[in-house]
Amino acid sequence: MTAGTNRTQAGKESDAGDGSKERGESQGSKGSQGAKGSQGSGGAAGTAGTAGAVATGRAAKIDRLAELTRRTGATVGNSLWKEAFRRLRSNRMAVIGAVVIALFVVVAVVGPWVTPYSPTAQTWRGEVLANQGKFVGARGENWFGLDHLGRDMFSRMLVGARQTLLVGVVSMLIGLLLGALIGTLSGAAVTLGGRAGRRIDTVVMRVIDILLSLPSLLLAVSIAAVMGQSLTTVMIAVGVVQIPVFARLLRGSMLAQGGADYVLAAKALGIRRKRIVLTQILPNSLSPVIVQATLSLATAIIEAAALSYLGLGNPDPAVPEWGVMLSQAQRFFDNAPMMAVYPAVGIIITALGFTLLGEAMREALDPKLRG
Amino acid sequence: MSLLELDGLKVHFPIRKGILFDRVVGHVYAVDGVSLKVEAGQTYGLVGESGCGKTTLGRAVLRLTGITSGEVVFDGTDLAGLDDEAMRRFRRRLQMVFQDPLGSLNPRQNIESILAEGMAAHGIGADREERREKIKEILARVGLPADALNRYPHEFSGGQRQRIGIARALVLEPDVIICDEPVSALDVSIQAQVINLLEELQESLGLTYLVIAHDLAVVRHISDVIGVMYLGSLVEEAPSDALYAAPRHPYTKALMSAVPVPDPDLEDRRERILLHGDLPSPANPPAGCRFHTRCPWVQDTLCATDRPELTDTGDGHRVACHWTAGIEAGTLVRTRATGIEAVTETAAVAEEPEAADAGPAPDLVSGPEPPAPVPGVPAPAAEADPKLPVPGVLGGAPAPGPAGAPGAPPPAGPGEAAEGGHGRTTGGAGQPAADRG
């Protein structure tokens, strides 16, 4: 009971407190105390506690309002990109995604220089007898254990991250750049090219449709089969699969924007067609493409892993890659499941990071949410 | 020589079908032969219901849509015949203000960039600094703060955005500005501000306007000459005051009668002409006079076969109707009921002869199927005098039987009259019901 009274007093003091800095602190501590106090003591002390909470709640609300006014006051002259970025920053999913991606990139960049052991040296080969089902799991000197050839799994994971990032980024860029180029040409032709433009667009889009109708993995396998087994093949194969996606997306987006009033206004102003495409239509059509690029990084990494898993990846054993590691681990899955789990979890977390960021960007860039 | 002259302007949009190869299966006759003149320094108002082609006309003048045929002569040059680059250079002198102020501004460009874009395209202003000075001057002129320069369209109010739209047109120092529904997207209080701004600018800069609108009050306020469009063509054109004082075309009469009068007494008593049916599809417009399917004064000759030309009926009042003289003189009577006519007791008596006149015209009156008692549609209350047959049915429909055929429910005349209290309902909703039948 005494504790309850003390707390109430503390609450009152904090209400009467003059410094606004203090208020924030006392608020924080009072929040938890107030809850306990009302539970334990009840009666008069509880009521007083509630009143105090209401008062501080109101003060917090006023502070919040002041904060909001300051913020809206500062948003004058902000472009839509800036505002989208501000929304993105306040989205927890986006922050988590960004942190995951940042970690992954850091690991990919510096990983090969900080590996505790060589990723290729079969240092502990003698301890691992794969043919007898004897494997070494996580231990003091090898954090992730050893693989079937006695190599340090942790070092291999670090080095493999770079390959995975490289495959993801390069293949996404192949798809993005070529797709965006085709999409822009087609979109520009159909919005500003008149009758001839529509013809061009029809032909281009039918070709893209054909590309799109092929199962993506099958297409990637065929490309890999034709070009032989290498990392470049994987990147091209995964990238080509993405081309129609980007092309269609950008074209559709440009078509939607092409009919907008501001494009008509630009025409009425006498702005040249090329400039209308570059300064008016394209900047307004990019949002879905940016989102798609982020999301497709995730799929690219997974597809690259899948191709490596199918044995189409980089055959060089000196360059570990998560997909290849996963593929190799499957033979020993019964005895050493962790050998598969590490690269798999790595791929999943990375893909998840890109997906989270992509989804958050989709929300941030959605014009319907524009305040 | 007028500054802007349209001669037989036609804009037909092809209706295409087909997957790989386009096949034209028809046309939408959006603008179908419009001739008008806009004098320098004047304001030409273009009114009409939605879908009548007024916006398309405005866009065709700027060649924002293709012109099928006809001439757009601006300051002695036929714009329809120019190649793309020549037309692009001409656009500096012909500008446009759009209906949707937000939609017509690129959301990703700030105001300076939006305004400078057009200047750069036409080589106005040597460098960025010079352009900025000019832009600041124009912004002040349209009543925007100078700090608007590096703000974005979404950071302004509706009225301010429309001012930006006007400023964008003004920086090019045009001769003609086409205002496509310049205020219809704005609040009423803001509308007045923008309209006044437009007038002020016209006075100080000697601008010529082509104002497209459906708000009759706005058009009347701002225009010197008004053209009324119906289904792709002009039906009447007259100096603003003359048109509002005495509309001569039946469509204009109906349009004007739709404007409410502030005096409630007068509002109750005045005659309102309600047109029946919908606007015919511009893809399949009626032959002859475009309006004959809905005209209260439609006659059995000419209307359905010959398309009336715009002809001067004196004082620059041009009307496209075969029967203007007769309608004006009152010698022609309505052949089709026009919905609710609220009239006083005495007026009802005075109108009896008219109904009697309309009655005997045999080939216009086809006894319709007794209109089915469609819920929601008032019963036809065909006549005050039950002896008279129903007036106001399309002559084209073959008569399936005399009015009041056996088994038909009796016309709900008395009920309607009781409901109206002081009035009488003629023909009315019988029309659409008959059309359906």
Side-chain angles (χ1 to χ4, degrees):
Chain A
M1 194 64 210
T2 41
T5 330
N6 281 344
R7 270 173 212 137
T8 325
Q9 275 172 355
K12 274 180 189 159
E13 267 172 29
S14 75
D15 279 349
D18 42 5
S20 57
K21 284 177 225 155
E22 268 180 41
R23 196 194 286 156
E25 288 169 17
S26 59
Q27 222 176 284
S29 56
K30 209 191 135 287
S32 53
Q33 283 176 358
K36 280 182 213 155
S38 55
Q39 272 176 3
S41 58
T47 331
T50 325
V54 167
T56 37
R58 196 174 297 153
K61 214 177 259 177
I62 291 169
D63 281 355
R64 174 94 184 117
L65 271 177
E67 166 68 19
L68 278 178
T69 345
R70 222 176 313 135
R71 233 191 258 169
T72 35
T75 53
V76 167
N78 282 349
S79 71
L80 291 180
W81 294 123
K82 259 191 217 164
E83 293 206 345
F85 184 65
R86 191 171 49 79
R87 274 198 295 270
L88 198 62
R89 249 184 357 198
S90 58
N91 184 334
R92 194 174 300 162
M93 286 297 136
V95 174
I96 293 173
V99 167
V100 168
I101 293 167
L103 276 176
F104 174 59
V105 171
V106 167
V107 167
V109 171
V110 305
W113 292 309
V114 298
T115 47
Y117 309 103
S118 159
T120 48
Q122 303 173 1
T123 318
W124 297 274
R125 177 137 205 201
E127 293 179 42
V128 181
L129 294 163
N131 52 356
Q132 291 171 22
K134 193 169 165 244
F135 291 90
V136 177
R139 59 181 184 182
E141 44 182 333
N142 311 108
W143 293 353
F144 287 179
L146 303 173
D147 74 353
H148 60 291
L149 294 174
R151 295 175 294 196
D152 182 41
M153 278 292 282
F154 183 66
S155 302
R156 288 180 68 75
M157 281 296 288
L158 286 185
V159 176
R162 180 180 281 190
Q163 297 302 312
T164 306
L165 180 70
L166 199 68
V167 170
V169 170
V170 171
S171 55
M172 183 273 282
L173 282 179
I174 291 174
L176 174 67
L177 293 180
L178 288 177
L181 189 72
I182 295 171
T184 307
L185 285 178
S186 212
V190 78
T191 48
L192 297 169
R195 223 196 146 113
R198 277 198 301 275
R199 281 266 158 81
I200 296 172
D201 170 69
T202 309
V203 173
V204 171
M205 276 303 128
R206 290 303 83 81
V207 173
I208 289 290
D209 281 349
I210 292 167
L211 217 55
L212 199 61
S213 66
L214 294 171
S216 58
L217 205 58
L218 192 69
L219 186 65
V221 169
S222 326
I223 292 172
V226 170
M227 293 185 54
Q229 200 185 359
S230 78
L231 195 66
T232 327
T233 308
V234 173
M235 291 193 278
I236 291 173
V238 175
V240 165
V241 168
Q242 309 270 4
I243 291 176
V245 178
F246 283 108
R248 283 221 137 234
L249 193 66
L250 188 57
R251 172 187 174 267
S253 183
M254 283 181 74
L255 237 61
Q257 296 297 328
D261 263 3
Y262 64 84
V263 175
L264 201 69
K267 255 189 250 178
L269 280 175
I271 299 169
R272 289 186 175 83
R273 278 190 218 172
K274 201 170 136 195
R275 218 176 142 70
I276 292 180
V277 170
L278 292 180
T279 68
Q280 312 285 320
I281 303 180
L282 208 50
N284 283 291
S285 312
L286 282 180
S287 306
V289 177
I290 293 170
V291 173
Q292 180 63 35
T294 319
L295 293 176
S296 77
L297 253 174
T299 41
I301 288 173
I302 293 169
E303 289 215 344
L307 285 185
S308 300
Y309 180 83
L310 292 174
L312 298 161
N314 192 358
D316 185 358
V319 189
E321 197 268 335
W322 292 355
V324 180
M325 287 163 71
L326 193 61
S327 144
Q328 287 168 347
Q330 72 161 333
R331 281 188 285 149
F332 314 107
F333 194 75
D334 288 343
N335 296 314
M338 290 312 280
M339 243 179 87
V341 167
Y342 292 121
V345 167
I347 291 168
I348 290 169
I349 289 179
T350 313
L352 188 70
F354 283 112
T355 309
L356 282 178
L357 185 69
E359 290 293 343
M361 268 162 68
R362 190 202 297 280
E363 270 174 45
L365 292 166
D366 190 344
K368 266 171 278 173
L369 298 171
R370 195 183 294 163
Chain B
M1 188 73 206
S2 313
L3 184 62
L4 182 65
E5 247 185 89
L6 312 188
D7 187 19
L9 182 70
K10 287 185 184 178
V11 180
H12 299 169
F13 295 113
I15 305 168
R16 289 205 168 90
K17 273 189 182 162
I19 302 159
L20 208 59
F21 299 100
D22 296 339
R23 198 157 43 86
V24 177
V25 293
H27 284 94
V28 173
Y29 302 90
V31 177
D32 202 17
V34 171
S35 304
L36 57 85
K37 289 176 184 177
V38 186
E39 305 294 333
Q42 274 199 341
T43 301
Y44 191 104
L46 207 54
V47 288
E49 62 196 290
S50 48
C52 74
K54 50 192 196 303
T55 294
T56 307
L57 179 100
R59 290 182 179 175
V61 170
L62 289 175
R63 282 211 9 214
L64 293 174
T65 61
I67 294 171
T68 309
S69 71
E71 286 183 358
V72 179
V73 180
F74 170 70
D75 204 10
T77 313
D78 179 16
L79 300 181
L82 293 178
D83 64 65
D84 284 358
E85 179 57 21
M87 184 61 216
R88 193 187 71 74
R89 272 187 258 112
F90 248 100
R91 291 193 196 281
R92 188 191 68 72
R93 300 181 60 193
L94 284 149
Q95 274 303 303
M96 188 155 187
V97 172
F98 290 83
Q99 173 173 16
D100 175 7
L102 183 58
S104 64
L105 300 171
N106 183 350
R108 304 210 182 264
Q109 278 184 310
N110 66 18
I111 304 310
E112 182 180 358
S113 163
I114 287 174
L115 295 187
E117 193 86 56
M119 298 173 82
H122 293 287
I124 303 171
D127 54 13
R128 216 185 136 105
E129 275 312 305
E130 208 178 308
R131 281 185 201 136
R132 183 176 292 173
E133 282 315 306
K134 166 108 189 177
I135 288 169
K136 276 185 185 162
E137 187 193 313
I138 297 282
L139 283 182
R141 194 149 208 162
V142 299
L144 284 170
D147 72 345
L149 274 183
N150 42 29
R151 284 161 67 183
Y152 288 81
H154 64 274
E155 296 172 335
F156 291 91
S157 70
Q160 285 177 318
R161 285 173 197 152
Q162 196 56 296
R163 284 166 197 269
I164 295 165
I166 294 168
R168 174 172 59 183
L170 284 182
V171 287
L172 301 185
E173 297 168 357
D175 301 316
V176 175
I177 296 183
I178 294 168
C179 305
D180 184 7
E181 306 266 12
V183 294
S184 59
L186 305 176
D187 277 0
V188 177
S189 57
I190 309 294
Q191 287 190 351
Q193 291 177 15
V194 171
I195 291 284
N196 288 339
L197 174 66
L198 284 173
E199 290 199 312
E200 218 173 275
L201 291 168
Q202 179 169 41
E203 217 160 283
S204 55
L205 300 172
L207 296 167
T208 306
Y209 290 141
L210 176 59
V211 177
I212 296 159
H214 62 260
D215 186 329
L216 294 167
V218 165
V219 173
R220 178 181 198 172
H221 181 80
I222 200 170
S223 309
D224 299 302
V225 179
I226 294 176
V228 181
M229 273 186 88
Y230 181 79
L231 215 59
S233 52
L234 275 181
V235 293
E236 184 165 3
E237 184 197 83
S240 173
D241 293 336
L243 187 85
Y244 278 84
R248 289 186 184 162
H249 192 281
Y251 177 66
T252 320
K253 282 179 193 280
L255 203 62
M256 296 293 170
S257 80
V259 179
V261 178
D263 180 352
D265 225 27
L266 201 64
E267 172 70 18
D268 274 353
R269 272 184 294 141
R270 75 195 178 84
E271 183 194 31
R272 266 172 293 169
I273 304 171
L274 280 186
L275 296 178
H276 292 301
D278 290 325
L279 190 69
S281 161
N284 185 19
C289 174
R290 294 281 144 98
F291 189 53
H292 85 264
T293 53
R294 299 167 79 192
C295 181
W297 280 274
V298 64
Q299 300 295 314
D300 53 332
T301 52
L302 288 175
C303 288
T305 50
D306 290 33
R307 199 167 165 196
E309 295 282 319
L310 262 188
T311 43
D312 203 325
T313 60
D315 315 324
H317 201 137
R318 299 200 295 158
V319 184
C321 177
H322 299 296
W323 306 98
T324 316
I327 292 169
E328 283 306 301
T331 53
L332 269 185
V333 289
R334 292 199 202 158
T335 51
R336 184 178 289 155
T338 53
I340 306 149
E341 285 171 44
V343 284
T344 55
E345 287 298 319
T346 46
V349 174
E351 248 181 55
E352 288 290 345
E354 184 191 315
D357 277 354
D363 43 354
L364 282 177
V365 179
S366 54
E369 277 280 324
V374 182
V377 176
E383 58 276 355
D385 183 352
K387 283 170 290 186
L388 293 172
V390 186
V393 176
L394 258 172
E416 287 284 317
E419 193 187 287
H422 60 275
R424 173 179 73 109
T425 313
T426 41
Q431 179 64 34
D435 282 347
R436 254 178 249 127

